[in-house]
Amino acid sequence: MTLACPAPTGDGGHVIMGHGSGGLLSQQLLDRAVFSRFRAPELAQRHDGAVLAFEGPVAFSTDGYVIAPIEFPGGTIGELAVHGTINDLAMCGAMAEVLSLGLILEEGLPLATLDRVLAAAADACEAAGVRVVTGDTKVVERGKGDGIYITTAGIGRVHPRAAITASRIAPGDAILLNAPIAAHGIAIMSVREGLAFETPTVSDTRALHRAVAALLDRCGEAVHCLRDATRGGVGAVLAELAQQGGQGMRIRQTALPIAEAVEGACELLGLDPLYVANEGVFVAIVDGAHADAALAALRAAPGGDGAVRIGTVGEDRSGQVLLESAIGGARIVHLPPGEQLPRIC
Amino acid sequence: MTLACPAPTGDGGHVIMGHGSGGLLSQQLLDRAVFSRFRAPELAQRHDGAVLAFEGPVAFSTDGYVIAPIEFPGGTIGELAVHGTINDLAMCGAMAEVLSLGLILEEGLPLATLDRVLAAAADACEAAGVRVVTGDTKVVERGKGDGIYITTAGIGRVHPRAAITASRIAPGDAILLNAPIAAHGIAIMSVREGLAFETPTVSDTRALHRAVAALLDRCGEAVHCLRDATRGGVGAVLAELAQQGGQGMRIRQTALPIAEAVEGACELLGLDPLYVANEGVFVAIVDGAHADAALAALRAAPGGDGAVRIGTVGEDRSGQVLLESAIGGARIVHLPPGEQLPRIC
């Protein structure tokens, strides 16, 4: 019977098992870390869930984050988890409105770290115009986690002109990217390997829903497919789409946008940038006749100013992606078998 | 450059880091463990999210599961995670329709264990009439997890007559329970402590949405508040509700439903059953004039056949819950400070 005892207060600076109890310590942790920062009226009800109303079709998605380290150049696991679900919804042609926030905390995590991560998540929500309306917090024993794991889920309204599915990819479609590749993976690797580059690379974590909205406003049904190039990078996404739809694709190595410092780091680390993870890059496959309009729309939108065309969907039904090199050769872009960089998101 | 190499196949029997890569191994794991079992058309699209349509208000909720052990008498973490979000939605007066499934797997987890857990989750979905429409899988290194963590989120349609909020709790309201208490916590503790009781106790994990629907069909707006009594048990839920609404509540110890074996185990283990976790028990606070109708509706519904009235909301504004003992004494039911049993859900 613990009831007559005063509440254990922990050491005041770290997550303790009692923070996961659903009792007074849980309340105190949530007051400090969550309710002070995330201020949606639905969340303030402190109920088991949030009641919402949507007219028309919505998209629903979830994403889990287990990145190591949880703080890295250009971000933390907090904004990563917010942006990630916003972006998954955007890839369905939907504009995120509400998120859930599921935290799994490891005993011993400094509360200051939790504060920084959740502050970053709250800032990302505010900048993106989305709100956290429901959540859950669990605590696991020291050695059974890795600081913080976050699983977000989200709901967003589908853009009225969205008609996005891999089955609409067709011969002659243009393959576009919104931004330079491989920054996120290199930012993480440089921390893990303790590398200091002359030009430090920061993660490209960003919300993509406004770029997608601009694209759909302008090109509507001419946008056939969208996919964000996170784990496995642009290479994995294209290989998977080509395989799914049975389409052949050709991309040009010289057209792939990549920052000089990132390219140098990839060479040094022996990584193929095509397979390095991104957190703010997506592939848009668009009716070829609308390629210029699509690029113009993206370039005028936040997160799309680096938009370029990297290739074309071919007439063949090979289900394969060919990468044409600068010197005229070509190689098949395979779905990577395993992992170049584990725990990247 | 791993592209020319054949895919690593792991040892064939365990989760390896490559299963979290987003590449070929991820595809193989998802084909085997997820897509073979969860067959919603939205999931089969293999997109970043699911497109859905809802008319009228919906509820949205999330819950994370870190229970240890992941398999226990009466269930696994799989059905627990499915039932948990169904139940959180039910406590908002909403009938779950779709779920997301976020998995965090530890390297080395036997695939056979994953199969059993996901089979149990799929069976629970089918029995409850809900479908998994989107998901995510991550893998963490050995020693950075504990087998499987699952975070589900869900969306459900709000019952047309639901008007459920702690602020509607009023003097004279009846406090009801649907089922006997403390079974889940005792089932978990008996495994952890290696205890063999004459009558083995199994978890009460179950979906509660049909019992809630029956209650709302019958009593509608007379149902003032619903809350499932998971972590912290019935005691924590009532203490929190009384505190939130500033209401006084009185419950009778002799009215608390509890199986004899569970009560005996609580005594043996030194646990107060009022604070032991449940996975299939909820508190319904109902206009006192409708108490009998509410009990009749619950008793005729799945998961509600053990429904009883345990107390009443008083006229006082103490914000406290009083437990009246069999011998006429009374004690305050406090919000438990920390944790009786960590990692219980």
Side-chain angles (χ1 to χ4, degrees), chain A residues 52-65:
Chain A
L52 308 160
F54 298 98
E55 277 172 39
V58 296
F60 175 41
S61 187
T62 191
D63 215 348
Y65 291 84

Side-chain angles (χ1 to χ4, degrees), chain A residues 151-168:
Chain A
T151 300
T152 49
I155 309 177
R157 256 172 250 258
V158 177
H159 190 285
R161 294 179 63 198
I164 294 162
T165 154
S167 64
R168 294 191 66 228

Side-chain angles (χ1 to χ4, degrees), chain A residues 1-8 17-27 45-66 68 87-89 91-92 98-102 104 133-141 143-146 149-151 153-155 158 164-166 225-228 231-232 236 240 243-244 270-272 275 331-340 342-343 345, chain B residues 1-8 17-27 45-66 68 87-89 91-92 98-102 104 133-141 143-146 149-151 153-155 158 164-166 225-228 231-232 236 240 243-244 270-272 275 331-340 342-343 345:
Chain A
M1 229 334 249
T2 53
L3 301 189
C5 310
M17 290 307 295
H19 283 135
S21 67
L24 199 59
L25 278 167
S26 296
Q27 271 194 5
Q45 299 258 334
R46 299 185 177 217
H47 204 338
D48 284 320
V51 173
L52 308 160
F54 298 98
E55 277 172 39
V58 296
F60 175 41
S61 187
T62 191
D63 215 348
Y65 291 84
V66 298
N87 294 352
D88 279 351
L89 293 169
M91 299 306 117
C92 301
V98 296
L99 295 182
S100 66
L101 187 66
I104 298 176
V133 295
T134 190
D136 180 70
T137 304
K138 293 292 189 298
V139 179
V140 296
E141 294 87 357
K144 297 291 184 185
D146 200 8
Y149 299 143
I150 303 183
T151 300
I155 309 177
V158 177
I164 294 162
T165 154
C225 193
L226 301 171
R227 198 65 66 96
D228 57 341
R231 277 185 293 186
E240 197 178 343
Q243 184 193 64
Q244 269 182 32
L271 298 171
D272 183 341
Y275 296 97
R331 66 173 169 93
I332 294 172
V333 177
H334 291 284
L335 191 63
E339 183 103 61
Q340 272 205 132
R343 307 280 304 277
C345 64
Chain B
M1 219 3 221
T2 53
L3 302 190
C5 311
M17 291 306 295
H19 283 136
S21 67
L24 198 60
L25 278 167
S26 295
Q27 271 195 4
Q45 299 258 335
R46 300 185 176 215
H47 204 339
D48 285 319
V51 173
L52 308 160
F54 297 98
E55 277 171 40
V58 296
F60 175 41
S61 187
T62 191
D63 215 347
Y65 291 85
V66 298
N87 293 352
D88 279 350
L89 293 170
M91 298 306 117
C92 302
V98 296
L99 295 182
S100 66
L101 187 66
I104 298 177
V133 295
T134 189
D136 180 69
T137 304
K138 293 291 189 301
V139 179
V140 296
E141 295 87 357
K144 298 290 184 185
D146 200 8
Y149 298 143
I150 303 183
T151 300
I155 310 177
V158 177
I164 294 162
T165 154
C225 193
L226 301 172
R227 199 65 64 98
D228 58 342
R231 277 186 293 187
E240 198 179 341
Q243 186 193 63
Q244 269 181 31
L271 298 172
D272 183 341
Y275 296 97
R331 65 172 168 95
I332 294 172
V333 178
H334 291 285
L335 192 63
E339 183 104 62
Q340 271 205 134
R343 308 281 303 277
C345 63

Side-chain angles (χ1 to χ4, degrees), chain A residues 239-294:
Chain A
E240 197 178 343
L241 286 176
Q243 184 193 64
Q244 269 182 32
Q247 305 284 352
M249 295 180 184
R250 298 183 80 86
I251 59 173
R252 284 170 295 116
Q253 186 145 33
T254 52
L256 285 172
I258 182 166
E260 207 174 317
V262 173
E263 193 166 25
C266 284
E267 277 172 27
L268 191 72
L269 294 164
L271 298 171
D272 183 341
L274 204 54
Y275 296 97
V276 173
N278 311 283
E279 287 293 336
V281 173
F282 69 102
V283 172
I285 300 185
V286 178
D287 182 331
H290 293 75
D292 289 341

